[in-house]
Amino acid sequence: MTLISFVVPFYHGNQYINGLVSCVSNINKRLVAKKGDSVELIIINDSPDEAVNYNKSSDIDVRIYNNVKNLGIQASRINGLQQAKGKWINFLDQDDLLITENYLSYLDYMDKADAIISNGYYERHGKRQRIFKNQKVQNYYIQERQLINIRNLIPSPGESLIRKDVIPYEWQKNVLSNNGADDWFLWLLLYSNGAKYVANPNDIYIHRTTDQGNLSFDYEKMYKSCQNMLSLLKNNVGFSSKKWNRLDRAIEFKYLKDTDRITLLDYLKFFDCFVNNMAYKVNTLLG
């Protein structure tokens, strides 16, 4: 049985893809040995002018699908999801890495949750920093209220396993016109639909900042993507107006801070957001 489908949007990423194929291949060997189940790797080529090149000697099922034109990361993930055979989905970026010796710890949580969020590392310029300080902080970060009141505190779908059958229809049918907030959109819709989250404290995921860029550091593009997300959430039945208003204020407050446009009057206007952010920092410090 195919237990896990790894879905990877590809965009001019041949320098990274063999590293990812190697990670998935190692995980497959461990899973087959332990349970007899297997994994698959689905690559969605979102750069039609470049072919995906990888080590064909890999012992895993690798399937490549080509978008007819550049569609962006969310649409590519959805295209991959539609081809996936696995019960669980791991959305990865092409430059992600996995700590393969810890990966099967996910098995311990599969009967307890719909979305399993692991720990791991940020990697930038060869230096690594832990994503979640400890499990207490991890549990705090992945709560719905923090994702609404603060910001997206789950760096990437790459550090998660999500049951395929709970991935929201609304996320699959409403593609953000601006890349950036599609993973935040996914987390919020999962919660809105009643999905159960659980933290896996093991270090599994490595989120690399590479020359492909990271939209989270492009504040203007991210803000536009967040506004796009807000417009789609406004008409979502499960997302209350109270939640929407809190999220709208959190996004505006973060944008003003990120772009150094915030004033004293803004701090008064968004005092609730300021308090929420201070509580988040204290919890992180004391966690």
Side-chain angles (χ1 to χ4, degrees):
M1 181 182 82
T2 303
L3 184 65
I4 300 169
S5 296
F6 294 89
V7 176
V8 183
F10 174 94
Y11 184 77
H12 298 298
N14 278 314
Q15 66 268 46
Y16 308 115
I17 209 68
N18 274 331
L20 194 55
V21 169
S22 178
C23 284
V24 174
S25 179
N26 286 333
I27 290 165
N28 186 63
K29 290 174 185 175
R30 292 170 183 270
L31 183 61
V32 169
K34 184 166 185 174
K35 280 182 61 75
D37 294 329
S38 62
V39 307
E40 63 178 357
L41 176 58
I42 298 171
I43 300 173
I44 304 299
N45 185 1
D46 201 31
S47 47
D49 57 329
E50 180 177 337
V52 179
N53 295 317
Y54 69 97
N55 184 357
K56 303 291 193 303
S57 65
S58 170
D59 59 353
I60 55 171
D61 179 15
V62 180
R63 286 181 284 138
I64 298 172
Y65 299 91
N66 298 299
N67 291 340
V68 294
K69 62 178 182 178
N70 179 255
L71 296 176
I73 193 166
Q74 184 185 354
S76 295
R77 284 171 173 164
I78 292 167
N79 287 349
L81 175 65
Q82 292 170 348
Q83 303 297 332
K85 301 174 184 175
K87 182 178 179 181
W88 292 83
I89 303 296
N90 194 166
F91 291 117
L92 293 169
D93 292 340
Q94 62 189 9
D95 51 359
D96 287 342
L97 290 174
L98 298 167
I99 302 172
T100 57
E101 59 268 29
N102 294 342
Y103 196 89
L104 294 194
S105 65
Y106 274 129
L107 298 176
D108 298 332
Y109 300 90
M110 285 182 173
D111 61 348
K112 301 174 183 177
D114 302 307
I116 310 165
I117 313 298
S118 72
N119 207 345
Y121 299 91
Y122 297 110
E123 181 177 281
R124 192 173 190 184
H125 305 308
K127 296 182 179 179
R128 290 183 180 178
Q129 176 185 352
R130 203 118 188 268
I131 294 173
F132 302 119
K133 181 179 176 182
N134 53 44
Q135 191 174 8
K136 180 181 176 182
V137 169
Q138 185 178 4
N139 281 321
Y140 176 80
Y141 278 23
I142 69 175
Q143 293 173 11
E144 181 186 27
R145 64 176 176 267
Q146 316 310 340
L147 297 175
I148 292 174
N149 291 340
I150 311 295
R151 64 175 189 272
N152 183 9
L153 295 172
I154 304 173
S156 170
E159 65 182 300
S160 70
L161 268 188
I162 308 170
R163 267 202 309 119
K164 183 183 178 183
D165 61 5
V166 303
I167 295 177
Y169 173 85
E170 302 94 324
W171 184 77
Q172 299 180 55
K173 294 302 178 183
N174 293 284
V175 176
L176 301 183
S177 55
N178 300 96
N179 284 331
D182 65 288
D183 50 344
W184 197 359
F185 189 36
L186 174 60
W187 305 135
L188 293 172
L189 285 173
L190 279 165
Y191 262 122
S192 180
N193 288 357
K196 183 180 179 182
Y197 285 61
V198 71
N200 175 359
N202 289 279
D203 294 326
I204 290 175
Y205 172 71
I206 300 173
H207 185 56
R208 295 195 292 178
T209 301
T210 65
D211 57 9
Q212 289 293 324
N214 190 323
L215 277 174
S216 61
F217 295 118
D218 190 326
Y219 301 128
E220 297 298 333
K221 286 184 179 179
M222 181 58 75
Y223 181 69
K224 288 179 181 178
S225 186
C226 289
Q227 291 300 312
N228 190 188
M229 175 181 70
L230 280 168
S231 67
L232 292 171
L233 283 171
K234 192 154 195 163
N235 297 318
N236 183 270
V237 174
F239 205 76
S240 69
S241 58
K242 183 178 179 180
K243 289 180 182 178
W244 191 94
N245 288 327
R246 284 159 48 202
L247 180 63
D248 181 32
R249 289 174 62 77
I251 289 170
E252 197 67 29
F253 179 74
K254 183 178 186 302
Y255 175 69
L256 290 171
K257 284 194 67 181
D258 287 343
T259 56
D260 295 322
R261 299 179 188 178
I262 198 160
T263 66
L264 180 58
L265 286 177
D266 289 324
Y267 275 110
L268 294 173
K269 178 181 177 182
F270 294 98
F271 186 71
D272 57 323
C273 298
F274 172 71
V275 170
N276 288 333
N277 275 266
M278 290 303 296
Y280 148 71
K281 289 179 180 179
V282 169
N283 272 280
T284 301
L285 184 65
L286 300 178

